[in-house]
Amino acid sequence: MAEFIDRARVRRNFRRVAERYAQADFLAREVDARMQERLDYVRLEPRWIADLGCGPGLSLPGLQARYPQACCLGLDQEAAMLPRDSRPGGWRRWFGRSQGASSFAVATAEQLPLAPGRLDLAWANMLLPWLEEPRPLFREVLGSLRVGGLLMFSTLGPDTLRELRGGFRDGYAHTQRFADMHDLGDMLLESGFADPVVDMEVITLTYADLDALLADLRGAGAGCAMEDRRRSLAGRGLRQALEAHYETWRRPDGRLPATFEVIYGHAWKPEPRQIADGRSIIRFERR
């Protein structure tokens, strides 16, 4: 399901908003809070936690408060997104830290700087929309988790921004493309995880006008980074058609809706499978 994301554009988008991102991305903060509530039903005492695509580290205070004995590592591919006072740090120091400490490092989610079988909890809030394909991430995380370790993530589904996407008729991508929750469950199983649980809810934000919505998306670094996006400025006709289309969605209270299909998923790293004579089946994958 690779859709050819411009990773350099992703980094530029987030670099531009890094200084104000912590205040700008309300949706990511809200989804993170809902993810953390789901940990109430998970039996886990993690010693090592990695927050993948951590940005300024907004998830880590909650995870650290819930698991005070854990060491937390925040990873992001864009250095400017990391907390300013932590950017010179290195991930190698993380493994020497005492309990309750956090560190940050620059790394891509598909190439984690972690020893195999080290992690207890891999956390990824709203990271998947910026990856061409979830499976490399799933396989990388599986290798980094200990047996019994947990991957927990959130992402966006295909109904996200349906009001906005429906207003374009020019053949270009204008938002990211989002995986279906059923496909994500299948990918977790294909990647070697056990007992995947994937579910969905709809969050609707409302805006006074189209400009307010677009400003919110830009402020959160959520501009389209697909390779097949429009590279030139949209003409006045396209903008007028988009505004006219969005007006058909205006609610009785005078607000314009923006739909976000939020998908939550988690899965566990299983014990190696056994065959009849007691030998383990170990899968090797060429990189």
Side-chain angles (χ1 to χ4, degrees), residues 17-221:
V17 302
E19 296 302 323
R20 58 186 185 276
Y21 177 84
Q23 293 74 41
D25 197 348
F26 164 81
L27 181 65
R29 286 182 281 122
E30 176 64 23
V31 171
D32 177 74
R34 299 185 187 199
M35 279 180 69
Q36 301 227 14
E37 289 176 358
R38 289 164 179 250
L39 289 171
D40 292 342
Y41 308 101
V42 173
R43 296 184 62 183
L44 190 69
E45 294 294 333
R47 178 72 176 88
W48 303 102
I49 299 173
D51 180 6
L52 312 180
C54 67
L58 301 180
S59 297
L60 292 179
L63 292 171
Q64 198 77 78
R66 180 179 292 270
Y67 304 116
Q69 79 286 355
C71 293
C72 296
L73 176 64
L75 298 169
D76 201 284
Q77 69 170 349
E78 176 48 55
M81 287 290 287
L82 298 176
R84 181 175 295 277
D85 59 359
S86 68
R87 291 176 199 169
W91 64 269
R92 290 177 177 83
R93 292 210 305 265
W94 181 54
F95 293 113
R97 293 288 183 94
S98 60
Q99 67 180 23
S102 296
S103 295
F104 295 87
V106 177
T108 63
E110 301 98 324
Q111 293 181 312
L112 299 177
L114 305 173
R118 188 65 182 264
L119 283 182
D120 301 292
L121 173 61
W123 182 268
N125 179 32
M126 292 296 188
L127 170 63
L128 269 61
W130 309 107
L131 305 179
E132 283 188 3
E133 164 67 72
R135 277 170 284 212
L137 166 65
F138 291 163
R139 291 192 289 265
E140 185 75 0
V141 169
L142 186 75
S144 297
L145 286 171
R146 64 167 176 81
V147 171
L150 178 67
L151 164 65
M152 197 161 190
F153 66 88
S154 64
T155 187
L156 297 172
D159 266 354
T160 296
L161 294 174
R162 59 192 175 95
E163 303 91 349
L164 181 65
R165 287 186 288 108
F168 291 101
R169 299 287 190 272
D170 58 353
Y172 293 98
H174 292 273
T175 69
Q176 297 304 103
R177 298 197 177 103
F178 309 110
D180 182 86
M181 61 181 255
H182 302 98
D183 293 334
L184 289 169
D186 291 342
M187 291 178 196
L188 288 166
L189 289 172
E190 292 170 15
S191 301
F193 282 94
D195 302 321
V197 176
V198 184
D199 64 309
M200 176 272 290
E201 68 175 334
V202 173
I203 296 177
T204 303
L205 306 183
T206 64
Y207 296 87
D209 52 40
L210 180 60
D211 284 335
L213 166 61
L214 297 178
D216 238 15
L217 294 175
R218 287 193 297 269

